[in-house]
Amino acid sequence: MRNHLLVLALSGLLALLLSACGTPTGPSEDYKGESQHYIYQRGKTALQDKSYSEAIKRFEALDVQYPFGSETESAQLYLIYAYYMKEDYTLSVAAADRFIRLHPTNPHVDYAYFMRGIADYYQNLGILERMFAVDLATRDLTQIQKSYRDFSIVVASYPGSKYAPASYQYMIYLRNLLAMHELQVANYYYSRKAYVASADRASGLVAHYQGAPAVADGLVMMAKSYHQLGMSKLEQETLQLLKYNYPTMKVDMNA
């Protein structure tokens, strides 16, 4: 009886494996027999119609069936945008990475850098953050730092790009965000009476983010930390710097 059950189980498994072998293994199977140009044009039409899932399937199929086709390179670029519009930011970043790696001299590689920056930024946001505008300065901003680097590449390496002005504005915003994050960390250390750490973090903020709104509060944090540490000379030097650059700024050493 046990042998009979084992035979039935193995037969069922074999049937399942044979059935799996007979099913399509990827999106490219859906468009077998279609020409490269037809797949590409239908993918573009789907993209224009905001049918992003269909566009993704067609562009992926083109990449598999015609990896060296004349229109495949453009399809790989469109994939970055299609994934982004589907809010699949991880795949959008991966598609941008791949395009930059494979086509570093493509005339539209600036777009790949720009979209990678955008996707990296949104990858750092959860649904709740996007809905309720939770302060990003209190979070780990690894993706934001990557995003900043991508925008800086567009500005520095492709100054004539139509994406350069927007990239520059994103850089200002993200730089201010990173500066505020440093201030939040310094405040955290100060609240825990870790005054050396708070002074060091605030000092780094002042040194690396000149012009950011958080710099004034960074100087205040430096002065307060030095005050707590009994480092009078550094405290006075910081207060003088603060008074010179921000004459209306008030400092409460006991706060």
Side-chain angles (χ1 to χ4, degrees):
M1 182 65 178
R2 290 179 61 185
N3 289 338
H4 179 65
L5 291 174
L6 181 59
V7 169
L8 287 176
L10 291 173
S11 299
L13 178 60
L14 179 61
L16 182 63
L17 290 173
L18 290 173
S19 174
C21 291
T23 59
T25 57
S28 63
E29 295 294 325
D30 294 338
Y31 312 114
K32 265 195 169 179
E34 295 183 3
S35 71
Q36 169 188 308
H37 183 69
Y38 185 79
I39 296 173
Y40 176 73
Q41 288 299 328
R42 291 298 297 270
K44 284 183 65 177
T45 300
L47 198 63
Q48 291 166 357
D49 293 340
K50 300 182 180 180
S51 301
Y52 301 118
S53 295
E54 174 68 11
I56 288 168
K57 286 176 65 178
R58 285 192 170 274
F59 291 139
E60 286 180 344
L62 191 68
D63 200 20
V64 172
Q65 292 188 37
Y66 304 97
F68 306 108
S70 59
E71 293 167 313
T72 301
E73 195 167 318
S74 295
Q76 292 169 353
L77 200 63
Y78 283 130
L79 262 176
I80 302 169
Y81 179 74
Y83 285 134
Y84 171 79
M85 293 305 294
K86 280 281 290 181
E87 298 188 3
D88 197 333
Y89 304 119
T90 301
L91 285 181
S92 182
V93 169
D97 284 341
R98 182 170 181 255
F99 188 88
I100 292 166
R101 185 178 70 256
L102 294 177
H103 314 292
T105 60
N106 184 283
H108 302 295
V109 73
D110 58 329
Y111 175 77
Y113 279 112
F114 179 75
M115 286 303 299
R116 189 170 72 177
I118 296 288
D120 263 328
Y121 170 73
Y122 279 102
Q123 193 174 336
N124 196 67
L125 297 178
I127 294 174
L128 289 178
E129 283 87 345
R130 276 175 272 159
M131 289 178 61
F132 301 112
V134 172
D135 186 2
L136 283 177
T138 63
R139 291 194 47 173
D140 172 41
L141 301 185
T142 302
Q143 298 303 125
I144 297 297
Q145 292 168 336
K146 291 180 181 178
S147 182
Y148 182 88
R149 285 196 295 270
D150 282 326
F151 292 131
S152 68
I153 289 172
V154 176
V155 171
S157 300
Y158 309 96
S161 167
K162 64 181 180 180
Y163 305 107
S167 294
Y168 182 70
Q169 292 303 314
Y170 272 111
M171 285 177 66
I172 293 173
Y173 168 70
L174 295 179
R175 187 172 181 272
N176 290 344
L177 195 64
L178 291 167
M180 184 59 69
H181 181 259
E182 292 300 301
L183 182 63
Q184 294 279 357
V185 174
N187 282 329
Y188 172 82
Y189 285 133
Y190 187 85
S191 69
R192 298 300 189 278
K193 302 185 187 305
Y195 302 122
V196 172
S198 65
D200 183 63
R201 204 70 184 230
S203 177
L205 158 62
V206 172
H208 296 110
Y209 295 97
Q210 281 296 314
V215 168
D217 289 320
L219 285 168
V220 171
M221 179 55 60
M222 285 174 63
K224 290 169 62 175
S225 299
Y226 292 142
H227 178 77
Q228 296 293 341
L229 291 167
M231 304 173 73
S232 302
K233 183 179 179 181
L234 288 176
E235 176 190 345
Q236 291 305 312
E237 288 176 353
T238 304
L239 288 173
Q240 288 174 8
L241 188 61
L242 184 66
K243 184 177 181 180
Y244 179 79
N245 289 282
Y246 306 95
T248 61
M249 198 78 176
K250 304 297 182 183
V251 183
D252 182 1
M253 292 298 181
N254 298 315

